Amino acid sequence: MRHNASPLSLVLLGAGVFLLVLAPLLVWYVQPHAKRTPIDIDTTTVFTGTGSYFDTSEVETVEGRTITITRQVRGDVADSEKSGNAVWDVSTSVDHQGTLPASDPRDALQWTLERWVTDRATNEPVHCCEESPTFDGEAYLKFPFDVEKRSYRWWDGTLGGVVRLSYAGEQEVQGYSGLLFKGEVEPTKTGVRQVPGLLVGKKKIPQVLAEEWYSNSGIELVVDQRTGRIMNAAIGPRKTLRAPGSTKDAVVLLESKRVEFTEETQLKQVELASADSDRLAMLGTTAPTGAAGLGGVLALAGVVLVVRGRRTEPEAPNTHMMTIPHT
């Protein structure tokens, strides 16, 4: 008896083998290529809180005022594609109620323009493409993919240096769970500024180079573990002026116990983190598992049908019997 493989068995076997090959490809090739920092980003995050700031119109520090920090991040797609890195232009303004809405960011209490360049896979800093400032660390506007439950070196732009953030457990943001990291900055001299001597207690000196000092009483970042996206951020900044060589603050330029993402910003960050996390989970877990399972079933079914085959009629013999007539 001769066995022929049916078309159905070959289709099942081929589909099963294809899915079995696809499963590891999704894990080892497709997902790693999907874990890339985006280059076409255009997002705005807003912090708000209550605090104090130096009012130049009143020439004194005013207290109990609303402080708003607005950060806009836009990717430079052309430079990103040319360099192969993530090139982000970042505008950050610190405002009070009198400078909002900000028609001109130069009217803000503080306004900075920066260019951040990072490796799209590792999130490590890359020093190219007119990067400014030259920064260090392993976490910045985002953390690396697959965040670990350990300490991270986070770049603080106001400090101009790296801050160690320690893992502090899990925390929910708008019903979505993330990893919490905490740190603080002890009072640190960050520069000098020319001001009237009277402002820092030097009445007999018209102008002095006052020392700028910065501290942060509490940095709290809640991060999505799979994508590294920051879903909530809170800081407690304090910026002051001191007379040259003094150990005491003479003027408070800016201070707040807690400035935090607004609810609207939190919801938007959670939405983006959830969508990106689900996509990576599908490529790394759901789709490969499904492909491997279905592929195994289809391949097994195809093999069974091929082995069983379709029975046909017996073949005719190669020689024929001749009938000899009787004589």
Side-chain angles (χ1 to χ4, degrees), residues 277-288:
S277 182
D278 288 346
R279 180 170 60 89
L280 292 177
M282 181 188 68
L283 292 175
T285 305
T286 307

Side-chain angles (χ1 to χ4, degrees), residues 276-305:
D276 290 344
S277 182
D278 288 346
R279 180 170 60 89
L280 292 177
M282 181 188 68
L283 292 175
T285 305
T286 307
T289 301
L294 181 58
V297 171
L298 294 179
L300 180 61
V303 169
V304 170
L305 290 178

Side-chain angles (χ1 to χ4, degrees), residues 37-43 73-77 80-81 86-88 120:
T37 299
I39 61 176
D40 58 347
I41 187 172
D42 187 354
T43 64
V73 182
R74 288 179 176 172
D76 188 321
V77 176
S80 296
E81 291 179 341
V87 182
W88 290 0
R120 296 188 63 194

Side-chain angles (χ1 to χ4, degrees), residues 88-99:
W88 290 0
D89 292 317
V90 184
S91 169
T92 305
S93 63
V94 182
D95 291 275
H96 56 78
Q97 290 174 315
T99 59

